[in-house]
């Protein structure tokens, strides 16, 4: 059975075994708000594939690059901000493309296109 990327299905013991780390490490990452697994009705931690990929990134930063957990927190927040900005840029590019293709622009926006690279400004005395 194939699960969705964000679907919480993995128990803490499975994640710990797959990543070759102690379950206490996962609990510490949760205490530090680096990862937030879902909880079942019985309060059992359930991790998604997205959570596992995030933990892999945390492990790479700490083990290979020597970053402490405070640094990991900063890096993860910056990465999230960059990801959000990149999504905003993609959305704006798509909106611009739609506007250019439809030859109309919504009343609350202005579309400016340049005919050439060079522009001349003349100042009079």
């Amino acid at each position: 059975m194939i699960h969705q990327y964000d679907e919480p299905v993995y128990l803490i013991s499975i994640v710990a075994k797959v990543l070759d780390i102690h379950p206490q490490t996962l609990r510490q990452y949760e205490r530090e708000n680096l990862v937030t697994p879902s909880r079942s009705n019985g309060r059992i931690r359930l991790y998604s594939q997205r959570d596992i990929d995030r933990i892999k990134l945390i492990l790479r930063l700490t083990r290979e690059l020597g970053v402490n957990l405070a640094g990991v927190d900063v890096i993860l927040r910056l990465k999230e901000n960059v990801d959000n900005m990149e999504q905003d840029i993609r959305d704006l590019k798509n909106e611009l493309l739609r506007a250019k293709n439809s030859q109309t622009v919504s009343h609350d926006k202005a579309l400016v296109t340049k005919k050439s690279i060079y522009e001349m400004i003349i100042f009079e005395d």
Side-chain angles (χ1 to χ4, degrees):
M1 175 186 250
I2 296 176
H3 299 284
Q4 297 298 319
Y5 190 61
D6 290 319
E7 187 178 356
V9 294
Y10 303 103
L11 297 171
I12 191 169
S13 58
I14 300 300
V15 175
K17 185 173 184 172
V18 166
L19 297 178
D20 193 29
I21 57 177
H22 196 280
Q24 198 61 19
T25 303
L26 293 169
R27 292 183 188 97
Q28 179 182 7
Y29 291 169
E30 185 178 3
R31 280 191 304 275
E32 298 283 339
N33 291 318
L34 298 175
V35 66
T36 309
S38 297
R39 297 284 185 143
S40 69
N41 291 341
R43 305 285 299 149
I44 296 173
R45 289 174 181 86
L46 294 174
Y47 294 85
S48 66
Q49 186 59 50
R50 181 180 305 277
D51 294 327
I52 292 172
D53 290 344
R54 186 174 175 97
I55 295 164
K56 285 179 182 178
L57 175 59
I58 293 167
L59 291 171
R60 189 169 41 249
L61 289 169
T62 55
R63 289 178 177 172
E64 296 174 19
L65 300 176
V67 179
N68 64 21
L69 292 183
V72 169
D73 183 44
V74 170
I75 291 168
L76 292 177
R77 280 193 268 144
L78 287 172
K79 181 183 179 314
E80 187 175 314
N81 287 343
V82 169
D83 291 346
N84 289 337
M85 287 184 216
E86 287 175 344
Q87 183 60 50
D88 290 345
I89 290 169
R90 282 191 297 274
D91 293 345
L92 289 170
K93 282 182 177 179
N94 288 334
E95 186 177 339
L96 180 62
L97 186 61
R98 281 193 304 277
K100 282 183 178 180
N101 288 339
S102 69
Q103 299 298 319
T104 61
V105 178
S106 66
H107 68 289
D108 63 336
K109 304 233 183 340
L111 181 64
V112 178
T113 58
K114 291 185 179 181
K115 300 262 186 244
S116 69
I117 297 174
Y118 303 102
E119 294 183 14
M120 185 181 297
I121 301 173
I122 300 174
F123 296 98
E124 294 183 18
D125 292 65

